[in-house]
Amino acid sequence: MHRNIAGEETSEAVSFPGVGRVLRLRKDWEALAALLPELRTSATIYRSPHVLLCRVGRFGRLQFSPGCAHRMEGVQGDSLRMEKWSEAFWHVEERNGESCPCVEIADERGRGFLKLCYRGMEEAEEDLALLEPLIESEGDGWDLLHLRRANALDCGCLDRGLRKKGKWLWNHLERIFQEAREKGVAPGMILPHDPATTWDELRPEEISRHGCWMSVAQAGQCLHVRPSFFHRVQFVGHGERPVLLFADQHGEIVLTLIEPEGCRMDSIAALGKEIARRS
């Protein structure tokens, strides 16, 4: 017997061949933390509401404490609340015209927040075999449908009110990244998300707009933000480096930007003045 997403028992699993597998994780978080750096992934994507960060390369080595794992390497780091991890979504997606496998970690509500990407199927299938001992059970087609639906990203901004409200923040963010590119400096950033918080620095080389998304790239590392969904921003002039806290309509901080060390940025000062004027 199987249970569908409504919790009802069904006599037969509904399957969707070739579109993926839902793998429920065992709560052996220490073993999983030790395994992640051994996987032959090509990139890791961190997802929080309205923000995506892509890091190229394999996952870094972690230090484990009960329920949590941590990593810090120079300006880069992660804090992983593994006790909130629930399942893995193994599937194949199309990138640059090629079919590329990936494993996405999701919470108990099926919301993905950490995606491990592969360049080819051979490495992914061999790594999947390493992951099997940490799998408690496999979901059926209803679980797969629920997880795919929970992680669908809309590429547009359908709410005209949100689009208009976020325009002033979009323009300020673009000026900040443009000034950073012109000066060759790297603003600090934090993606505060309870299951997987990460921080880093990014020296912009490319800045582009796609629909409601703004993308900033440097040597294969990319930050994607959706400013139209940023509801407010708080300017914190703490110490020598001002900090910008961007929140969504629910008041949740979704992105933190920190002025580059030793560099005063006119664009950040201008946004601080605009915030003061609007408050």
Side-chain angles (χ1 to χ4, degrees):
M1 299 291 285
H2 299 269
R3 290 186 180 275
N4 61 22
I5 57 177
E8 303 164 337
E9 288 190 347
T10 60
S11 59
E12 186 176 345
V14 180
S15 62
F16 298 88
V19 296
R21 299 169 63 189
V22 176
L23 309 170
R24 297 190 184 89
L25 301 172
R26 295 187 184 277
K27 299 187 182 300
D28 191 347
W29 306 128
E30 187 169 6
L32 182 57
L35 177 62
L36 289 177
E38 303 300 325
L39 302 179
R40 292 182 293 169
T41 51
S42 61
T44 302
I45 297 175
Y46 299 80
R47 178 193 294 179
S48 63
H50 317 306
V51 181
L52 300 173
L53 173 66
C54 176
R55 287 181 181 153
V56 174
R58 294 172 67 162
F59 204 88
R61 299 208 168 269
L62 298 162
Q63 294 183 334
F64 184 81
S65 59
C68 300
H70 308 274
R71 183 179 74 91
M72 183 173 291
E73 299 174 9
V75 299
Q76 195 178 92
D78 303 297
S79 177
L80 311 177
R81 286 281 301 277
M82 303 186 76
E83 58 190 14
K84 293 199 170 185
W85 297 20
S86 177
E87 54 198 9
F89 176 31
W90 190 93
H91 63 104
V92 178
E93 63 183 15
E94 185 172 318
R95 294 195 299 271
N96 299 322
E98 297 182 2
S99 296
C100 301
C102 59
V103 178
E104 185 156 5
I105 308 296
D107 63 16
E108 61 182 7
R109 297 177 64 183
R111 297 174 303 188
F113 52 82
L114 184 70
K115 182 157 67 174
L116 306 170
C117 305
Y118 291 87
R119 295 191 187 280
M121 188 64 70
E122 182 178 352
E123 296 90 344
E125 290 181 341
E126 290 178 0
D127 279 359
L128 188 59
L130 298 177
L131 190 62
E132 289 289 354
L134 299 177
I135 301 303
E136 184 175 84
S137 62
E138 184 164 354
D140 61 15
W142 289 110
D143 296 306
L144 178 60
L145 179 64
H146 171 60
L147 197 144
R148 289 176 67 91
R149 184 176 182 180
N151 293 286
L153 283 174
D154 58 296
C155 297
C157 180
L158 302 179
D159 190 320
R160 185 173 298 178
L162 282 174
R163 185 165 61 241
K164 183 177 180 181
K165 190 176 186 67
K167 185 175 181 181
W168 73 277
L169 277 179
W170 188 313
N171 293 336
H172 277 283
L173 268 173
E174 195 166 40
R175 292 185 194 118
I176 289 171
F177 289 124
Q178 285 176 345
E179 183 179 356
R181 180 173 60 184
E182 292 167 1
K183 293 183 174 178
V185 295
M189 58 184 176
I190 303 172
L191 275 66
H193 199 33
D194 200 16
T197 292
T198 188
W199 56 93
D200 209 334
E201 288 187 352
L202 182 65
R203 188 188 304 269
E205 294 174 358
E206 299 178 19
I207 306 168
S208 59
R209 296 190 182 198
H210 304 281
C212 267
W213 292 88
M214 174 189 294
S215 300
V216 183
Q218 173 213 332
Q221 179 169 299
C222 299
L223 174 69
H224 306 281
V225 299
R226 190 153 55 166
S228 297
F229 288 79
F230 291 180
H231 187 71
R232 63 176 177 81
V233 57
Q234 182 180 356
F235 183 91
V236 182
H238 180 69
E240 296 297 321
R241 302 177 68 181
V243 176
L244 298 169
L245 306 173
F246 295 90
D248 63 12
Q249 64 269 32
H250 305 296
E252 180 179 356
I253 303 297
V254 293
L255 176 66
T256 297
L257 280 183
I258 308 170
E259 188 175 65
E261 188 171 8
C263 177
R264 290 297 185 188
M265 294 184 63
D266 295 336
S267 53
I268 289 181
L271 178 52
K273 291 178 180 177
E274 179 69 11
I275 295 169
R277 186 186 69 80
R278 288 173 175 262
S279 62

